[in-house]
């Protein structure tokens, strides 16, 4: 009786449900871990050290030809990737200073006549290649000079403010530039073509990309594939986020490292801050993503101060620390001369070259890196392995190991002597001290008390693969 009240169509539907074929099995799921970094680093980048060149200030002449004469010296120093600050013609409208900022680009296909010609640049690149070095250009994709011809040829490629006018990057003092609009496909095609030109026709090996985080990520990812189709390139982003590494950039800036180093050197923080930074990077940073380590920035001594003003007596300590920590290092032109002068950014102000102890320190640190695979870049090198002491407020300590090669780092990051005991970590063995070439044995079982002077350190090396 109740059944007769159910509509016939519903009965048919219920019958179909009961006779339905079994649901298909879910697709096979793989739980195998996949590397976050999907791009392939150029083989020559695995143990590379970067050297930044401000062409205007690098030599008295301030030209590519004069810089080319310095290449044998840079080869002897041990650097691999030469980063040229922007080489393009500089805008005149709203120009800063007499010569202007190289980051106000007037022509992406041109060369600043202050530096020479495109033929001079090609000669520089060819000479660097002949010495086994590579050259990357500083590229400014976020904005152009206010008088770049694109403003009249393609005004729709620029952002506008509430009045409809071109504008500089908001909340900056970059009044000599105006921002581009990457929602425009034509702009993306033009910028990609320009960057392909310098790689394909001039022989450039990649780019350091200014304020890379201000340009959409999908642009960089598409660009990387186009450049790698020409030849393997190296890409450095002036930014510090993980997502840039997956498909676009080999390296990003270790701003957190520089800030920690400055704070510790000035007594505003202690060694625990550096240990916390390593812990965070070990837990969250992709294994094959390079973080660029540096003790001074390319424009830092123009308006922030010199490295000596930041670090004082701790400068050699932090220079050594950057070379044993996990990252790719950069040396800025003049560091090897102990440059303590605040270089002008918009005027001619050549570096005063001189013999200085930092030259030999840099040379030794680069050689240390080259000779120890544990210190190579990204997955080519060894991960951090904690070494625990009873004095974490003064001592930063860790090991890095790769293919039988071990480097032990023990650093006193304070302005007073430090005593400490090793309580845990892969330390047992006999090592050679990087600074003194003396042998040193470590043993957890001995509970030996160790001492380091103010800003003192041990970098200890052993190589079971030899």
């Amino acid at each position: 009786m109740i059944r007769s009240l159910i509509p016939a169509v519903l009965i048919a539907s219920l019958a179909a449900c009961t006779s339905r074929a079994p649901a298909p099995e879910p697709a096979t799921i793989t739980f195998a871990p996949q590397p976050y970094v999907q791009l392939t680093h150029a083989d020559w980048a695995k143990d590379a050290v970067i050297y930044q060149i401000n062409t205007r200030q690098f030599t008295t002449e301030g030209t590519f030809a004069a810089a080319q004469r310095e290449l044998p010296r840079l080869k002897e120093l041990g650097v691999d990737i030469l980063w040229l600050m922007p080489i393009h013609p500089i805008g005149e409208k709203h120009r800063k200073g007499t010569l202007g900022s190289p980051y106000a680009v007037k022509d992406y296909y041109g060369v600043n006549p202050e530096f020479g010609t495109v033929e001079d640049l090609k000669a520089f690149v060819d000479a660097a290649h002949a010495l086994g070095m590579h050259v990357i250009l500083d590229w400014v994709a976020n904005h152009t000079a206010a008088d770049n011809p694109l403003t009249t040829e393609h005004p729709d490629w620029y952002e506008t403010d509430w009045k409809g006018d071109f504008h500089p990057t908001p909340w900056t003092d970059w009044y000599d530039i105006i921002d581009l609009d990457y929602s425009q496909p034509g702009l993306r095609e033009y910028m990609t073509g320009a960057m392909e030109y310098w790689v394909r026709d001039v022989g450039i090996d990649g780019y350091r990309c200014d304020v890379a985080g201000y340009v959409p990520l999908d642009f960089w990812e598409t660009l990387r594939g186009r450049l790698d189709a020409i030849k393997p390139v190296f890409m450095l982003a002036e930014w510090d986020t993980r997502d840039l590494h997956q498909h676009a950039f080999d390296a990003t800036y270790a701003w957190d490292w520089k800030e920690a180093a400055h704070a510790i050197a000035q007594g505003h923080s202690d060694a625990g801050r550096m240990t916390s930074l390593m812990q965070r990077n070990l837990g969250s940073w992709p294994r094959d993503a390079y973080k660029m380590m540096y003790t001074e920035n390319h424009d830092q001594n123009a308006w922030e101060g010199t490295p000596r003003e930041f670090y004082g007596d701790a400068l050699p300590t932090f220079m050594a620390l950057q070379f044993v920590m996990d990252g790719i290092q950069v040396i800025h032109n003049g560091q090897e001369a102990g440059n303590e002068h605040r270089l002008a950014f918009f005027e001619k102000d050549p570096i005063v070259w001189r013999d200085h102890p930092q030259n030999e320190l840099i040379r030794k640190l680069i050689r240390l890196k080259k000779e120890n695979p544990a210190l190579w870049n990204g997955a080519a090198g060894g991960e951090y392995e904690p070494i625990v002491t009873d004095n974490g407020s003064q001592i930063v300590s860790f090991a890095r190991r790769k293919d039988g090669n071990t480097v032990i780092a023990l650093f006193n990051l304070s302005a007073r002597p430090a005593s400490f005991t090793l309580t845990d970590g892969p330390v047992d063995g006999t090592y050679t001290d990087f600074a003194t070439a003396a042998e040193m044995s470590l043993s957890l079982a001995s509970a030996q008390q160790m001492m380091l002077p103010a800003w003192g350190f041990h970098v200890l090396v052993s190589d079971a693969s030899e």
Side-chain angles (χ1 to χ4, degrees), residues 110-333:
V111 167
N112 186 348
E114 178 187 348
F115 303 152
T117 65
V118 69
E119 287 74 22
D120 294 331
L121 177 59
K122 286 181 179 180
F124 176 91
V125 173
D126 290 344
H129 288 170
L131 291 172
M133 295 185 286
H134 295 80
V135 181
I136 63 174
L137 291 186
D138 207 328
W139 195 266
V140 189
N142 175 66
H143 50 260
T144 75
D147 52 354
N148 189 303
L150 295 177
T151 59
T152 55
E153 296 170 3
H154 297 283
D156 55 316
W157 290 359
Y158 288 86
E159 294 182 355
T160 55
D161 62 16
W162 64 277
K163 301 186 298 293
D165 298 330
F166 301 146
H167 64 81
T169 304
W171 293 294
T172 70
D173 65 348
W174 304 348
Y175 57 79
D176 56 339
I177 59 90
I178 52 178
D179 277 5
L180 290 163
D181 180 2
Y182 276 81
S183 71
Q184 300 298 319
L187 169 62
R188 290 174 175 239
E189 181 179 7
Y190 168 86
M191 194 66 70
T192 300
M195 297 180 79
E196 288 175 324
Y197 162 75
W198 293 99
V199 173
R200 182 186 59 246
D201 294 3
V202 182
I204 294 302
D205 301 296
Y207 294 95
R208 178 266 185 190
C209 298
D210 188 60
V211 291
Y214 289 179
V215 176
L217 177 58
D218 66 315
F219 168 78
W220 294 126
E221 292 180 337
T222 301
L223 171 75
R224 178 60 184 258
R226 296 281 293 261
L227 296 181
D228 274 341
I230 300 172
K231 69 175 181 178
V233 294
F234 178 84
M235 298 291 286
L236 165 63
E238 189 199 21
W239 210 248
D240 65 345
T241 52
R242 181 172 59 185
D243 58 351
L244 289 172
H245 287 278
Q246 189 165 30
H247 297 289
F249 288 94
D250 300 271
T252 55
Y253 274 51
W255 283 330
D256 53 356
W257 187 90
K258 188 200 78 165
E259 291 166 359
H262 284 183
I264 295 168
Q266 294 171 16
H268 302 316
S269 193
D270 64 19
R273 178 166 176 177
M274 193 64 72
T275 301
S276 294
L277 182 151
M278 289 192 296
Q279 184 276 328
R280 184 169 64 254
N281 287 344
L282 182 62
S284 68
W285 203 252
R287 182 70 194 95
D288 209 22
Y290 303 173
K291 298 203 77 172
M292 191 182 78
M293 316 287 282
Y294 58 102
T295 52
E296 66 171 273
N297 205 353
H298 73 288
D299 56 1
Q300 175 182 321
N301 58 5
W303 34 63
E304 292 184 29
T306 67
R308 185 63 63 178
E309 290 171 325
F310 275 118
Y311 296 102
D313 293 338
L315 180 57
T317 305
F318 284 99
M319 289 180 70
L321 184 61
Q322 71 168 336
F323 270 86
V324 295
M325 292 185 73
D326 190 2
I328 184 170
Q329 295 75 30
V330 63
I331 301 299
H332 289 86
N333 54 188

Side-chain angles (χ1 to χ4, degrees), residues 313-314 316-318 320-321 394-396 409-418 420 433 435 451-459:
D313 293 338
T317 305
F318 284 99
L321 184 61
Q394 288 181 278
I395 301 298
V396 163
L410 305 172
F411 280 73
N412 176 10
L413 297 189
S414 75
R416 63 189 191 281
F420 60 100
D433 188 284
M451 293 286 298
L452 282 172
W455 305 117
F457 60 89
H458 288 305
V459 174

Side-chain angles (χ1 to χ4, degrees), residues 29-67:
I29 298 174
T30 176
F31 293 98
Q34 300 298 312
Y36 183 86
V37 175
Q38 296 294 311
L39 57 82
T40 300
H41 302 297
D43 185 65
W44 43 265
K46 66 177 181 293
D47 62 348
V49 174
I50 303 168
Y51 187 93
Q52 173 265 350
I53 295 176
N54 180 339
T55 306
R56 177 182 289 167
Q57 319 297 19
F58 187 55
T59 63
T60 302
E61 301 91 334
T63 62
F64 297 131

Side-chain angles (χ1 to χ4, degrees), residues 402-442:
K402 185 74 173 185
D403 299 333
N405 175 240
T406 300
V407 175
I408 302 289
L410 305 172
F411 280 73
N412 176 10
L413 297 189
S414 75
R416 63 189 191 281
S419 64
F420 60 100
T421 300
L422 305 177
T423 61
D424 190 40
V427 300
D428 288 1
T430 300
Y431 304 89
T432 300
D433 188 284
F434 151 76
T436 66
E439 281 197 351
M440 178 179 292
S441 295
L442 300 179

